């Protein structure tokens, strides 16, 4: 059995995005799928509304939440692109087996053909991934990012509710997703009387900055609070601390 660690999902696109047959919209149905997964298992989602979030912001949110396995939820176009396909990172060839496992099980559950696991290298640099929602998570240390195409829009538009319920059950089984609240929120819950793990982590980075450049940092506690609220500041502080550590005389 694979060790997926903490699993999160990325409902692809945004409200109304990618028109399929009739009223089918990929962005809406994939959000519905994400919200069903969250309700069933309490998993992390990169978006819970129709808003259009950039791929790098989605990746940051997932990395911040401590996600190890990130599955981006999609259906495919054009109509000829039928069947289930799973993309994994060119940087993580070991993920091919996991991708085949996920794709095979999802395809079987909803009665579609499994087209296989694939990578898509970037044209300019074949050592990196073409898809931002695989490339960015890898750069941010998320171990297993995948894109799952759950058939074409045209396939998913048929018996949609039934297919979504089957997909939710299948992910729960194959990824060993537990009950809601199985994974404590690191920003709020670290046991009674202890500072949250996220704050302890940020405090560590700010300590490094404060030792190196106290005149710039000023009030360290202020930056801890700002970084806890703002993912851009969190990453700025985290990366600066890492840079200082790497360039110590
Ligand atoms: Zn898509």
């Amino acid at each position: 059995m694979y060790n997926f660690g903490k699993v999160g999902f990325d409902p692809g696109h945004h409200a109304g995005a990618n028109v399929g047959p009739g009223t089918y919209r990929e962005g809406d149905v994939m959000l519905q799928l994400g919200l069903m997964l969250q309700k069933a298992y309490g998993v992390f989602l990169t978006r819970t509304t129709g808003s259009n979030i950039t791929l790098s912001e989605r990746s940051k949110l997932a990395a911040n939440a401590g996600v190890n396995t990130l599955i981006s939820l999609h259906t495919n176009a054009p109509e000829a692109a039928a069947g289930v396909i799973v993309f994994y990172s060119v940087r993580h060839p070991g993920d091919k087996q996991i991708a085949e496992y996920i794709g095979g099980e999802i395809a079987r559950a909803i009665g579609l053909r499994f087209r296989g696991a694939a990578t898509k290298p970037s044209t300019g640099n074949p050592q990196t991934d073409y898809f931002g929602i695989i490339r960015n998570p890898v750069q941010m240390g998320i171990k297993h990012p995948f894109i799952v195409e759950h058939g074409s829009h045209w396939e998913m538009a048929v018996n949609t509710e039934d297919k979504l319920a089957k997909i939710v059950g299948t992910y729960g089984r194959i990824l060993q997703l537990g009950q809601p609240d199985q994974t404590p929120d690191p920003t709020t819950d670290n046991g009674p009387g202890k500072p949250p793990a996220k704050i302890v982590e940020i405090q560590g980075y700010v300590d490094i900055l404060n030792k190196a450049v106290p005149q710039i940092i000023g009030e360290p506690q202020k930056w801890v609070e700002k970084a806890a609220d703002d993912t851009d500041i969190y990453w700025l502080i985290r990366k600066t601390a890492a840079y200082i550590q790497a360039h110590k005389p």
Side-chain angles (χ1 to χ4, degrees):
M1 200 30 80
Y2 303 104
N3 180 11
F4 296 103
K6 180 169 176 173
V7 177
F9 290 89
D10 166 51
H13 312 287
H14 55 89
N18 296 351
V19 175
T23 58
Y24 186 90
R25 302 290 179 272
E26 180 189 0
D28 296 337
V29 176
M30 292 301 103
L31 176 60
Q32 186 187 347
L33 174 58
L35 292 172
M36 287 168 73
L37 286 159
Q38 187 173 62
K39 192 174 174 204
Y41 310 115
V43 291
F44 171 84
L45 296 183
T46 57
R47 71 176 173 103
T48 55
T49 69
S51 59
N52 190 4
I53 304 170
T54 66
L55 298 180
S56 98
E57 183 62 19
R58 289 168 198 249
S59 310
K60 264 195 239 173
L61 291 168
N64 271 353
V67 167
N68 308 111
T69 298
L70 179 65
I71 296 181
S72 191
L73 304 168
H74 293 262
T75 55
N76 219 343
E79 190 167 1
V84 173
I85 184 165
V86 180
F87 291 96
Y88 62 100
S89 174
V90 293
R91 309 266 299 271
H92 295 173
D95 278 357
K96 184 177 186 201
Q97 265 199 325
I98 304 178
E100 285 174 342
Y101 175 55
I102 293 171
E105 292 292 317
I106 292 290
R108 193 159 59 89
I110 54 177
L112 300 181
R113 188 165 70 90
F114 178 42
R115 294 166 59 198
T119 56
K120 183 162 178 165
S122 126
T123 38
N125 180 357
Q127 300 307 309
T128 64
D129 291 287
Y130 171 81
F131 296 115
I133 199 62
I134 291 182
R135 187 179 62 248
N136 290 303
V138 164
Q139 282 168 356
M140 293 175 191
I142 295 176
K143 284 205 177 75
H144 309 292
F146 299 102
I147 292 174
V148 179
E149 300 282 0
H150 303 77
S152 69
H153 306 337
W154 290 262
E155 288 170 316
M156 184 58 76
V158 178
N159 296 329
T160 306
E161 301 295 327
D162 177 59
K163 283 194 176 73
L164 295 182
K166 284 175 174 158
I167 291 169
V168 170
T170 302
Y171 277 130
R173 177 173 56 79
I174 67 176
L175 303 175
Q176 305 134 46
L177 303 176
Q179 299 307 308
D181 304 317
Q182 175 205 38
T183 7
D185 179 348
T187 61
T188 58
D189 186 1
N190 198 34
K194 288 184 188 164
K198 183 77 184 282
I199 299 292
V200 173
E201 181 200 342
I202 296 169
Q203 187 79 56
Y205 303 141
V206 171
D207 284 348
I208 292 165
L209 266 62
N210 194 36
K211 273 184 196 135
V213 283
Q215 66 278 26
I216 293 173
I217 285 298
E219 300 169 58
Q221 197 53 38
K222 189 183 75 183
W223 290 104
V224 174
E225 284 159 23
K226 279 181 187 284
D229 287 343
D230 185 318
T231 54
D232 287 328
I233 293 175
Y234 165 84
W235 278 99
L236 178 67
I237 286 176
R238 178 171 166 173
K239 286 181 174 172
T240 309
Y243 180 87
I244 291 169
Q245 290 291 79
H247 294 79
K248 262 187 187 162

